[in-house]
Amino acid sequence: MQNFRNLEVWKKSHALTLKVYESTAQFPREEIYGLTSQLRRACASIPTNIAEGSGRESAADFARFLQIAVGSASETEYLILLAHDLKYITANQYTELIGTTIRVRKMLITLLKSVRTSSNPRPITHNPQLVC
């Protein structure tokens, strides 16, 4: 369909993923297979699904992958909240990461609506005045 690297939502979600990796590097060692891993995977799932979906043949397939990315963004948002409540990240890190995650999710929803609209053209309605 299109090159995912040209999508602003992919660029922003990729940057978010890099920031999450940087932030989770300071998590306690005992979280390496717990919260660290789960947060990294959830966040990386966002740009990954955008990339995979953009390579699909149909808009409906792309929309399905965008929907998965929206779910991953919601999961990421919760895990960032949890990391903050556990005091694994600072208030400034939390504000930055949550803000970016919410922006990414909103961008995904907007793109998803656009893709769904373009893949569902309006049906031709029957006009009785045109029947001979």
Side-chain angles (χ1 to χ4, degrees):
M1 284 189 65
Q2 59 184 310
N3 184 343
F4 64 88
R5 291 182 182 150
N6 295 332
L7 296 170
E8 286 302 314
V9 69
W10 179 85
K11 292 175 186 176
K12 191 163 270 310
S13 63
H14 177 67
L16 173 63
T17 302
L18 295 174
K19 197 69 175 167
V20 162
Y21 267 75
E22 179 185 317
S23 298
T24 56
Q26 68 187 18
F27 282 16
R29 195 82 190 131
E30 65 268 12
E31 288 291 352
I32 193 75
Y33 300 110
L35 186 56
T36 302
S37 175
Q38 191 170 2
L39 179 52
R40 286 176 173 185
R41 284 183 290 114
C43 193
S45 176
I46 302 167
T48 300
N49 277 290
I50 295 167
E52 186 172 354
S54 71
R56 298 296 173 139
E57 291 184 24
S58 73
D61 281 344
F62 187 29
R64 185 168 51 87
F65 281 91
L66 290 175
Q67 186 62 55
I68 294 167
V70 170
S72 294
S74 295
E75 181 181 2
T76 299
E77 182 180 356
Y78 167 69
L79 293 170
I80 291 168
L81 172 65
L82 179 59
H84 175 260
D85 288 350
L86 291 170
K87 310 241 184 298
Y88 292 167
I89 57 175
T90 67
N92 288 341
Q93 287 173 308
Y94 172 77
T95 301
E96 179 184 2
L97 293 172
I98 281 292
T100 304
T101 303
I102 291 169
R103 279 192 297 281
V104 164
R105 189 174 61 239
K106 287 178 180 179
M107 291 171 76
L108 283 167
I109 291 168
T110 300
L111 179 57
L112 179 58
K113 287 178 183 177
S114 173
V115 168
R116 284 182 174 160
T117 301
S118 70
S119 69
N120 293 322
R122 293 194 171 164
I124 299 172
T125 57
H126 178 69
N127 186 342
Q129 295 173 340
L130 297 178
V131 176
C132 297

